[in-house]
């Protein structure tokens, strides 16, 4: 009896273990996917909107939000052409409004029962990317299981879930970008291709079956090949630049067909999969083509995708045909790959001659995306497309040691035909994984962001590594084998587990996936620009209604606009654009509902760069007028050439009316801005000597060329001495723009164009991190920054305190005209000075000043951009400026006096109406003879004060009279010291330095 009981118990235990071994992956997969989702939504509360205002990560997320909103309004259609960006041409949206956005909106439609509220749409958008990232686990598991059994599949999803790098942080709440959609659909496409290849190897379709019309013999491989083609097409539909996967598949088919033929295996089997799947992809991508995608661009649906797909399909058919012909030649099979390689090179040579655009696109993407060579200087200004500085450390940070075990897994895949104990027959899908993994590795070494692709290869190839370790050390098998496991086998299991997972888990990991999930925050740029853009939306006329044109109905925000003939949209009268750096274009479109000139498509980046670095207002004006007349192509023309372009007629319907500049453009982004239109960054810096304690060396400081740029003249000087630009709004938070120096035993680590944003905390702000550490105390006016170095080795130089974002308006300017009776003053180098005190909405006051020479006949004309009243507003088709004059213009005529002062001979005051400013009208001023007083009219631009520092509590009287703030270095408005000859000594001073922005 006892024996029978024992037998029953043992059988039940065996049955349970066998059942667990068969199905254990399902609960594990469920738990892992739940972890993946929960870890990615830990920061959800930071993005949840209580007032309907979105908060998202990454700038591209904002444009996807635009596409999600538009698609919801026009469901199921996608936007054919975008007129709310890229002024004055508009822009084909390309990789936005694709399947990714369609999926998000469709999910919202389901949740909202066909009519989702804005809150539902936003909630679904916040959760879409974390959910997509979680779903990636499914194809990863099945790919891993094909390569390494069920255990390999489980290992793959565990690595995917625990990886804390690029794939993770691009898939947290607040990320509304297509990157994770790319990963999901790439994984599906690769899995589908693997299955199709395996079915073809089993069913063995050949050319004769096609001739005989044997449907039964071709049906199954044809079905799976079509599904592979559909999966590949879905991936490209998510990201048009996914044409790179067609190229990867093309390389795989070339390699595999050569291997098959050399090994004596018919290439027909694999060629059949390639021809059918890529043929299907070609047909589908033809259907995806839209009016704006008729070129060979990578980021839009055009000719490139179907052409490359059909080329690969044709190549598969050709290689199979050539193999049959080769059999009739008396040539060794081993020369077949060389012949194929030669034909490929010849094809590219012919393409370079016959189709140069297609050739340059293919080669450009090969070197720019797939291979880490020949990256463009402008492309490298984008952080995510820069290569990792240290690739070996980069992959460790991303995947721990799993990247190196992946390399071992690839080696094992290659060697499996030669190692009998691995018990694996070589299959075409192994070649696919090897080629794909090598390309993903190269892509990750080319652009940092592509680590989110590499995580797929790292995860699935480690299935091979684990499975082969299990085979080599006999760790698998039946329940009886598990019972008799040896000590060394336990040690191997522990070592493999530690190697793969310990670097990704505490206490070894610096940051885990779970920790990183709580580190997601809304974009700093979006938060900084929200106030400025919302102000712009509410205080500027609707596009199409400038000057009361009344055409705003022709530019509906959710309207549909077909791709225009010639590619450039014809904007209606009353339209206008907003010039800023391309980083902020999507924010201007979405937050401000206004039309930026340049955008993160990098459209019009060169013309924006040319304007921002222009060395005079005259050239800046010519550039903007030239852009309206001819487009971006004018960016590198000379002034004479620009005058010719402008003289041929500028379209009055297309004007750039606003310029928006933030502290990063004046600071850390300035180097990138210079790369697009030139000259380079070095033109704007000087080498200056410094002394700190016993350390001496050289540092880079902004040069006069930087000070004279339109960017600096506007942002740092509040448009002082400019005739056609005026500040109309500034944010109520502030930043420090300047150079941060850190003395080291060997020299200095500094950047002359650094910027740090101050979040207002009452009347003070602070900022610090590992490499920059200083404190800034603000006085009651919040304008005078007291900068306190924390040590002898740290200091700020040439620093300005300014609003985080400033908005300027381009106006005709009013001309103040007048005359004096004493014509002899012209012979005494007399000048005319006009100034007005202004106050911003946050309460900062500053003085605008302008100076011109007195004419020989005693007359003068001074063009000024600020009005002394606020008589026009958005209802009239003009700007409702938040920067207001506190009094009338003060105008005086003076001659040079002693010690830099000016002897005043005539003075007077006048009003300047808003109408005169926007229409370019003249305003007369009557000057009366002065009482022999003297003044110091040194402008902000001349002393480096930058306008923004004028009007604080302690120097308000000085700014009213236009006098200099003094020569004491502790209160001088020029933060780089008063005496440039003693700059070295002053910069080295360790005492507190007062900085005025």
């Amino acid at each position: 009896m006892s024996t029978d009981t024992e037998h029953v118990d043992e059988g039940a235990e065996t049955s349970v273990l066998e059942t667990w071994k068969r199905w254990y992956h399902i609960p594990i997969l469920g738990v892992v996917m739940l972890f993946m989702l929960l870890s990615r939504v830990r920061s959800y509360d930071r993005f949840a909107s209580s007032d309907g205002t979105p908060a998202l990560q990454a700038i591209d997320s904002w444009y996807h939000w635009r596409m999600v909103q538009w698609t919801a309004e026009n469901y199921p259609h996608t936007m054919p052409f975008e007129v709310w960006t890229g002024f004055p041409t508009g822009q084909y949206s390309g990789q936005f409004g694709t399947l990714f956005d369609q999926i998000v909106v469709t999910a919202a439609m389901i949740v909202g029962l066909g009519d989702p509220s804005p809150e539902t749409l936003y909630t679904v958008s916040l959760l879409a990317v974390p959910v997509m990232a979680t779903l990636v686990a499914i194809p990863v598991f099945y790919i891993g299981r094909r390569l390494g059994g069920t255990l390999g599949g489980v290992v793959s999803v565990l690595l995917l879930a625990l990886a804390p790098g690029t794939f993770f942080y691009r898939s947290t709440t607040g990320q509304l970008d297509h990157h994770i959609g790319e990963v999901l659909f790439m994984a599906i496409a690769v899995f589908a291709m693997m299955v199709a290849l395996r079915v073809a190897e089993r069913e063995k379709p050949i050319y004769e079956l096609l001739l005989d019309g044997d449907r039964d013999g071709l049906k199954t491989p044809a079905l799976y090949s079509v599904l592979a083609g559909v999966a590949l097409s879905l991936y490209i539909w998510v990201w048009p630049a996914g044409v790179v996967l067609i190229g990867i598949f093309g390389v795989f088919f070339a390699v595999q067909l050569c291997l098959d033929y050399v090994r004596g295996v018919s290439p027909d089997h694999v060629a059949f999969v390639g021809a059918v799947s890529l043929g299907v992809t070609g047909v589908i991508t033809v259907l995806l083509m839209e009016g704006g995608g008729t070129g060979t661009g990578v980021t839009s649906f055009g000719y490139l995708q179907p052409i490359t797909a059909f080329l690969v399909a044709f190549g598969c058919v050709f290689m199979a045909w050539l193999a049959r012909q080769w059999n009739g030649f008396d040539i060794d099979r081993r020369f077949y790959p060389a012949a194929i390689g030669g034909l490929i090179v010849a094809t590219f040579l012919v393409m370079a001659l016959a189709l140069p655009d297609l050739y340059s696109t293919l080669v450009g993407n090969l070197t720019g995306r797939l291979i880490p060579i020949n990256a463009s200087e402008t492309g490298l200004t984008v952080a995510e497309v820069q290569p990792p500085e240290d690739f070996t450390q980069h992959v460790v940070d991303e995947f721990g040691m799993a990247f190196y075990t992946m390399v071992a897994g690839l080696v094992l895949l290659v060697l499996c035909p030669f190692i009998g104990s691995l018990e694996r027959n070589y299959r075409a899908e192994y070649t696919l994984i090897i080629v794909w993994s090598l390309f993903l590795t190269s892509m990750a070494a080319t652009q940092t962001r592509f680590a989110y692709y590499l995580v797929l290869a790292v995860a699935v190839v480690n299935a091979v590594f684990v499975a082969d370790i299990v085979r080599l050390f006999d760790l698998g098998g039946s329940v009886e084998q598990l019972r008799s496991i040896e000590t060394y086998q336990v040690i191997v299991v522990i070592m493999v587990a530690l190697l793969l997972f310990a670097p990704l888990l505490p206490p070894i990991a610096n940051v885990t996936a779970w920790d990183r999930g709580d580190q997601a925050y809304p974009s700093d740029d979006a938060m900084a620009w929200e106030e400025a853009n919302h102000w712009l939306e509410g205080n500027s006329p609707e596009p199409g209604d400038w000057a009361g044109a009344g055409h705003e109905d022709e530019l509906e925000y959710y309207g549909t606009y077909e791709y225009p003939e010639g590619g450039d949209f014809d904007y209606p009268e009353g339209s206008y654009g907003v010039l800023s750096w391309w980083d902020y274009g999507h924010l201007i479109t979405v937050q401000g509902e206004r039309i930026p000139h340049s955008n993160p498509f990098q459209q019009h980046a060169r013309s924006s760069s040319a304007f921002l670095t222009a060395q005079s207002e005259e050239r800046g004006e010519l550039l903007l007028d030239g852009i309206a007349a001819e487009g971006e192509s004018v960016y590198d023309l000379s002034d004479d050439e620009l005058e010719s372009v402008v003289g041929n007629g500028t379209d009055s319907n297309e004007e750039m009316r606003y310029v928006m500049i933030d502290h990063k453009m004046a600071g850390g982004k300035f180097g990138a801005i210079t790369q697009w239109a030139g000259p380079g960054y070095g033109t704007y810096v000087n080498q200056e000597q410094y002394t700190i304690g016993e350390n001496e060396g050289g540092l880079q400081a902004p040069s006069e060329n930087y000070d004279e740029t339109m960017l600096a003249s506007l942002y740092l000087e509040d448009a002082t001495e400019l005739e056609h630009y005026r500040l109309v709004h500034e944010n109520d938070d502030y930043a420090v723009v300047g150079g941060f120096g850190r003395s080291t035993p060997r020299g200095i680590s500094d950047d002359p164009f650094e910027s740090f944003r101050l979040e207002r905390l009452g009347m003070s702000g602070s900022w610090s991190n590992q490499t920059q550490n200083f404190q800034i105390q603000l006085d009651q006016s919040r304008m005078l920054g007291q900068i306190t170095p924390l040590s002898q080795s740290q200091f700020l130089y040439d620093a300005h305190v300014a609003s985080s974002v400033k908005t300027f308006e381009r106006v005709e300017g009013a001309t103040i005209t007048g005359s004096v009776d004493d014509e002899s003053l012209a012979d005494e180098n007399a000048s005319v000075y006009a100034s007005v005190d202004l106050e911003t909405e946050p309460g900062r006051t500053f003085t605008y000043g302008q100076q011109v020479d007195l004419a020989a006949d005693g007359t003068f004309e001074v063009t000024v951009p600020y009005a002394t009243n606020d008589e026009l507003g958005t209802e009239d088709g003009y700007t409702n400026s938040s920067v207001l004059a506190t009094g009338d213009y003060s105008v005086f005529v003076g001659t040079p006096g002693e010690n830099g002062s000016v002897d005043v001979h005539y003075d007077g005051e006048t009003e300047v109406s808003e109408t005169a400013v926007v229409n370019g009208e003249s305003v007369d001023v009557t000057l009366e003879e002065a009482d022999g007083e003297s003044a110091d009219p040194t402008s902000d631009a001349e002393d480096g004060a930058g306008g923004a520092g004028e009007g604080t509590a302690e120097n308000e009287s000085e700014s009213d009279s236009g006098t200099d703030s003094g020569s004491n270095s502790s209160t001088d408005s020029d933060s780089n010291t008063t005496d440039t000859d003693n700059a070295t000594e002053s910069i080295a001073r360790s005492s507190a330095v007062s900085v005025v922005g």
Side-chain angles (χ1 to χ4, degrees):
M1 183 68 178
S2 61
T3 303
D4 294 337
T5 303
E6 267 185 39
H7 179 71
V8 171
D9 290 342
E10 182 180 350
E13 179 184 357
T14 301
S15 177
V16 170
L17 288 175
E18 291 292 349
T19 301
W20 169 252
K21 184 178 178 182
R22 179 178 298 178
W23 299 108
Y24 73 93
H25 63 280
I26 293 180
I28 292 177
L29 186 60
V31 170
V32 170
M33 291 179 68
L34 181 62
F35 169 82
M36 290 179 68
L37 180 61
L38 293 178
S39 62
R40 284 163 169 79
V41 299
R42 291 191 67 195
S43 301
Y44 180 85
D45 289 344
R46 297 192 185 113
F47 298 89
S49 174
S50 59
D51 60 357
T53 302
L56 299 168
Q57 297 188 64
I59 295 304
D60 280 353
S61 296
W62 286 86
Y63 198 71
H64 275 292
W65 175 239
R66 155 79 169 149
M67 284 297 173
V68 166
Q69 289 180 300
W70 192 96
T71 304
E73 289 286 333
N74 297 273
Y75 191 79
H77 303 290
T78 56
M79 182 184 291
F81 190 78
E82 172 66 291
V83 303
W84 282 79
T85 195
F87 188 87
T89 61
Q91 169 71 13
Y92 174 66
S93 55
Q95 59 191 334
F96 296 89
T98 62
L99 179 62
F100 171 81
D101 304 282
Q102 287 278 14
I103 290 173
V104 175
V105 176
T106 300
M109 287 286 178
I110 296 171
V111 173
L113 302 178
D115 186 22
S117 66
E119 293 76 16
T120 298
L121 196 63
Y122 181 60
T123 300
V124 171
S125 297
L126 287 181
L127 296 175
V129 170
V131 169
M132 285 185 184
T134 302
L135 293 176
V136 173
I138 296 175
V140 163
F141 170 78
Y142 282 105
I143 294 174
R145 189 161 76 166
R146 293 188 68 83
L147 296 173
T150 301
L151 177 62
V154 170
V155 168
S156 295
V157 295
L158 285 173
L159 288 173
L160 181 75
L162 296 176
T166 306
F167 172 73
F168 186 92
Y169 73 73
R170 286 186 181 272
S171 60
T172 55
T173 301
Q175 291 279 6
L176 185 59
D177 209 340
H178 50 259
H179 300 310
I180 301 306
E182 298 170 38
V183 177
L184 173 61
F185 283 93
M186 174 182 273
I188 293 172
V190 171
F191 173 68
M193 188 63 74
M194 292 174 69
V195 174
L197 289 168
R198 186 57 185 153
V199 169
E201 287 180 320
R202 184 180 67 243
E203 300 293 331
K204 294 181 171 50
I206 57 175
Y207 178 63
E208 284 73 16
L209 293 178
L210 188 62
L211 286 179
D212 295 340
D214 188 347
R215 295 183 179 181
D216 292 336
L218 296 175
K219 180 174 63 176
T220 302
L223 173 62
Y224 283 96
S225 297
V226 168
L227 291 175
V230 171
L232 177 57
S233 301
L234 291 176
Y235 167 66
I236 295 172
W237 192 3
V238 169
W239 188 47
V243 67
V244 297
L245 187 55
I246 296 178
I248 293 172
F249 284 170
V251 173
F252 154 70
F253 282 115
V255 171
Q256 185 61 42
L257 291 173
C258 288
L259 284 176
D260 284 347
Y261 185 68
V262 170
R263 292 186 304 148
V265 177
S266 172
D268 286 10
H269 314 326
V270 170
F272 179 86
V273 175
V276 173
S277 62
L278 273 300
V280 168
T281 299
V283 172
I284 293 176
T285 52
V286 166
L287 298 176
L288 290 174
M289 287 174 58
E290 296 178 337
T294 54
T296 57
V298 176
T299 58
S300 60
F301 296 113
Y303 295 135
L304 182 64
Q305 291 84 5
I307 285 176
T308 51
F310 285 134
L311 280 175
V312 174
F314 172 78
C316 291
V317 173
F318 175 80
M319 288 184 67
W321 172 83
L322 182 62
R324 289 172 173 267
Q325 302 305 310
W326 203 272
N327 291 331
F329 304 147
D330 189 18
I331 307 176
D332 195 306
R333 285 174 177 259
R334 290 174 295 180
F335 292 110
Y336 176 81
I340 295 298
L343 288 172
I344 292 174
V345 171
T347 300
F348 274 93
L349 290 176
V350 172
M351 187 185 300
L353 297 174
L355 300 168
D357 289 342
L358 180 61
Y359 173 81
S360 61
T361 299
L362 291 175
V363 173
N365 277 273
L366 181 65
T367 58
R369 296 178 188 268
L370 298 179
I371 303 175
I373 59 173
N374 197 32
S376 67
E377 291 185 2
T378 54
L380 292 178
T381 63
V382 184
E384 69 176 15
V385 303
Q386 295 175 358
E389 292 184 6
D390 183 348
F391 183 71
T392 55
Q393 184 59 47
H394 176 61
V395 294
V396 170
D397 294 339
E398 290 277 338
F399 316 113
M401 295 304 296
F403 174 80
Y404 295 102
T405 53
M406 178 202 77
V407 175
L410 289 175
V411 173
L412 290 170
L413 267 184
V414 172
L415 296 180
C416 68
F418 310 103
I419 303 177
S421 59
L422 293 184
E423 301 177 356
R424 181 190 287 119
N425 294 322
Y426 194 83
R427 304 201 296 251
E429 57 187 319
Y430 298 163
T431 306
L432 173 62
I433 292 298
I434 293 169
V435 171
W436 176 60
S437 299
L438 292 177
F439 269 109
L440 294 190
T441 302
S442 180
M443 290 171 66
T446 304
Q447 296 186 16
T448 303
R449 63 172 176 154
F450 285 142
Y452 60 69
Y453 278 147
L454 184 56
V455 72
L456 293 175
V458 169
V460 302
V461 177
N462 269 289
V464 177
F465 174 76
V466 170
D468 285 355
I469 293 296
V470 168
R471 291 191 183 97
L472 288 171
F473 291 91
D474 197 21
L475 299 174
S478 64
V479 174
E480 289 73 17
Q481 288 176 308
L482 292 176
R483 286 173 174 168
S484 61
I485 192 169
E486 300 288 341
T487 302
Y488 81 92
Q489 294 172 311
V490 175
I491 295 174
V492 169
V493 170
I494 294 174
M495 289 180 62
V496 170
L498 289 175
L499 185 64
L500 289 176
F501 301 114
L504 304 177
L505 297 169
I508 297 177
N510 292 326
V511 60
T512 65
W514 184 258
D515 295 333
R516 177 154 276 181
D518 193 37
Q519 297 173 2
Y521 292 89
S523 164
D524 287 341
D525 287 338
M527 293 172 62
W529 280 71
E530 184 176 338
E531 177 188 342
N533 284 325
H534 286 178
W535 178 90
L536 186 67
E537 180 186 6
N539 295 277
S540 63
E542 293 285 336
D545 192 38
W546 181 266
H551 295 283
E552 63 272 22
D553 292 343
E554 298 178 33
L555 288 174
E556 295 182 12
Y557 189 65
Y558 295 111
T560 300
Y561 306 92
E562 297 301 326
Y563 191 86
E565 270 185 54
D568 292 350
F569 183 74
D570 185 15
Y571 284 88
E573 183 182 355
S575 303
Y576 61 88
V578 181
L579 190 139
S580 188
W581 190 227
W582 63 259
D583 293 24
Y584 307 113
H586 293 340
L587 293 177
I588 294 170
T589 296
V590 180
Q591 291 181 334
E593 295 191 12
R594 294 299 180 263
I595 311 175
H597 174 59
S598 55
N599 48 50
F601 297 109
Q602 296 188 335
Q603 181 190 20
H604 301 153
R606 295 190 187 279
S607 48
S608 291
S609 170
F611 172 82
L612 293 168
T613 58
Q615 294 288 290
S616 68
E617 183 180 15
E618 291 74 20
R619 177 162 180 81
E621 287 288 277
L622 285 171
L623 281 166
L624 294 188
D625 288 338
I627 290 167
E630 295 291 337
E632 184 185 31
S633 60
V634 302
Y635 78 92
D636 58 350
L637 298 183
S638 68
D639 287 357
D640 290 341
E641 291 170 328
L642 284 169
E643 288 178 357
S644 176
V645 169
V646 173
N648 290 332
T650 299
D651 187 348
S652 61
N653 293 346
E654 298 173 348
E655 295 286 347
M656 220 68 66
R657 291 293 181 183
Y658 297 95
V659 178
M660 302 181 75
I661 302 174
D662 77 336
H663 65 101
K664 291 184 179 180
M665 291 168 62
K669 291 182 183 292
F670 184 74
I673 291 173
T674 66
Q675 291 296 320
W676 286 85
Y681 178 76
T683 303
Y684 303 93
V685 295
N686 285 330
Q687 287 291 329
E688 295 187 6
Q689 295 300 307
Y690 75 94
T691 301
I692 300 180
E694 298 180 355
N695 294 322
E696 296 183 357
L699 58 82
Q700 290 185 327
S703 70
E704 184 178 352
N705 288 334
Y706 174 76
D707 296 334
E708 292 181 353
T709 61
M710 285 297 292
L711 183 151
S713 297
L714 291 168
Y715 182 77
L716 299 180
E717 314 295 345
D718 284 335
T720 291
E721 294 192 340
L722 299 184
E723 296 180 343
H724 303 291
Y725 298 86
R726 62 178 180 180
L727 178 69
V728 290
H729 179 264
E730 68 176 17
N731 279 5
D732 192 15
D733 59 2
Y734 302 92
V736 174
V737 178
F740 174 79
R742 180 160 52 92
S743 175
T744 65
R746 294 185 298 170
I748 194 79
S749 173
D750 62 83
D751 185 342
F753 302 115
E754 279 294 346
S755 64
F756 318 110
R757 181 163 173 253
L758 300 178
E759 297 287 355
R760 270 187 50 207
L761 302 172
M763 294 299 173
S764 66
S766 63
W767 184 93
S768 65
N769 72 7
Q770 294 179 349
T771 58
Q772 290 97 1
N773 193 356
F774 56 86
Q775 293 179 339
I776 297 174
Q777 300 297 325
L778 304 177
D779 70 358
Q780 290 185 353
S781 298
R782 302 193 303 279
M783 291 301 104
L784 189 66
Q786 182 73 21
I787 297 179
T788 306
L790 298 183
S791 69
Q792 290 277 348
S793 63
Q794 295 179 334
F795 58 89
L796 256 170
Y797 61 92
D798 197 29
H800 303 258
V801 176
S803 171
S804 58
V805 184
K806 291 184 178 183
T807 302
F808 299 88
E809 181 185 12
R810 184 186 181 205
V811 294
E812 292 294 326
T815 301
I816 300 175
T817 62
S819 63
V820 295
D821 295 334
D822 190 354
E823 297 181 6
S824 65
L825 289 175
D827 298 329
E828 299 178 29
N829 298 321
S831 295
V832 182
Y833 303 88
S835 64
V836 64
D837 293 333
L838 300 140
E839 183 175 3
T840 67
E841 192 172 31
R844 178 177 69 91
T845 59
F846 67 99
T847 300
Y848 167 83
Q850 183 67 276
Q851 173 185 346
V852 299
D853 293 335
L854 183 69
D857 61 356
T859 62
F860 61 84
E861 293 183 351
V862 184
T863 302
V864 295
Y866 289 96
T868 57
N869 62 36
D870 193 22
E871 63 186 2
L872 297 177
T874 54
E875 65 279 2
D876 305 298
Y878 296 101
T879 307
N880 184 24
S881 176
S882 68
V883 178
L884 303 176
T886 60
D888 294 337
Y889 272 87
S890 173
V891 183
F892 71 87
V893 177
T895 56
E898 296 180 358
N899 300 321
S901 65
V902 172
D903 295 330
V904 178
H905 299 278
Y906 293 86
D907 61 9
E909 293 185 348
T910 186
E911 295 181 349
V912 174
S913 69
E914 180 77 0
T915 301
V917 167
V918 298
N919 293 331
E921 298 174 357
S922 294
V923 176
D924 292 331
V925 61
T926 300
L927 301 186
E928 297 182 357
E929 193 168 353
D931 297 329
E933 63 194 62
S934 65
D936 186 347
T938 305
S939 69
D940 297 333
E942 290 172 328
D943 66 15
E950 294 289 329
T952 62
E954 66 182 70
N955 68 5
E956 185 173 357
S957 62
E958 295 174 352
S959 65
D960 288 343
S961 64
T963 58
D964 195 359
S965 58
S967 60
N968 188 316
S969 64
S970 65
T971 59
D972 181 33
S973 61
D974 184 350
S975 62
N976 202 31
T977 73
T978 56
D979 186 354
T980 55
D981 292 334
N982 296 321
T984 301
E985 178 182 353
S986 299
I987 290 175
R989 196 171 297 157
S990 62
S991 59
V993 180
S994 294
V995 176
V996 181

